[in-house]
Amino acid sequence: MIKVGLEIWPNPIGAGLTGYIVSSLTVLTIERIRTGHFIVQGPLSGRLWFALNGVVNGVGTLLLYAAVGAGPITVVAPINASYPLVTVGLSALVLSNVRITPRLVLGTVTAVAGVMLILIG
């Protein structure tokens, strides 16, 4: 949908906005078909975490596009590629049920290394 957004409005922020709107409408439509309600009937804490996740994800995407617009992609892409490290670290701090296992560390390092190899190559 982001590609369609870029064709309609050749602006990365506009494309991201289009993608987020379509994603939101898709989630609401599926929930309506599945349960008959537009709003998920989950616990309030789960809905608040979901909303916070959406806000943080949206701000992160906006900042990524702003960084790409302000600087060279060769600087922005490696910084962006480090997000799995931050995700694992924050998950371990905020979520009590997340354990840092060797498998999790290996997966995170592999993901970051893979993106770095693509950028180098």
Side-chain angles (χ1 to χ4, degrees):
M1 288 312 303
I2 289 178
K3 183 178 179 184
V4 172
L6 280 171
E7 290 175 7
I8 294 170
W9 184 11
N11 178 318
I13 294 175
L17 179 63
T18 302
Y20 274 102
I21 289 171
V22 170
S23 296
S24 298
L25 291 175
T26 301
V27 168
L28 290 172
T29 301
I30 289 172
E31 184 62 18
R32 173 72 175 181
I33 291 168
R34 195 173 68 88
T35 66
H37 302 283
F38 282 112
I39 304 298
V40 174
Q41 301 299 313
L44 179 62
S45 63
R47 289 186 283 163
L48 290 175
W49 275 111
F50 183 79
L52 179 63
N53 180 37
V55 169
V56 170
N57 191 8
V59 169
T61 302
L62 181 65
L63 291 174
L64 174 65
Y65 287 139
V68 169
I73 191 69
T74 55
V75 173
V76 175
I79 293 170
N80 184 54
S82 69
Y83 84 86
L85 300 172
V86 176
T87 302
V88 169
L90 286 176
S91 295
L93 290 174
V94 175
L95 304 172
S96 59
N97 63 338
V98 173
R99 290 186 2 254
I100 304 296
T101 63
R103 182 178 176 183
L104 181 63
V105 171
L106 179 64
T108 303
V109 169
T110 303
V112 172
V115 173
M116 299 305 267
L117 286 173
I118 289 170
L119 292 171
I120 291 169

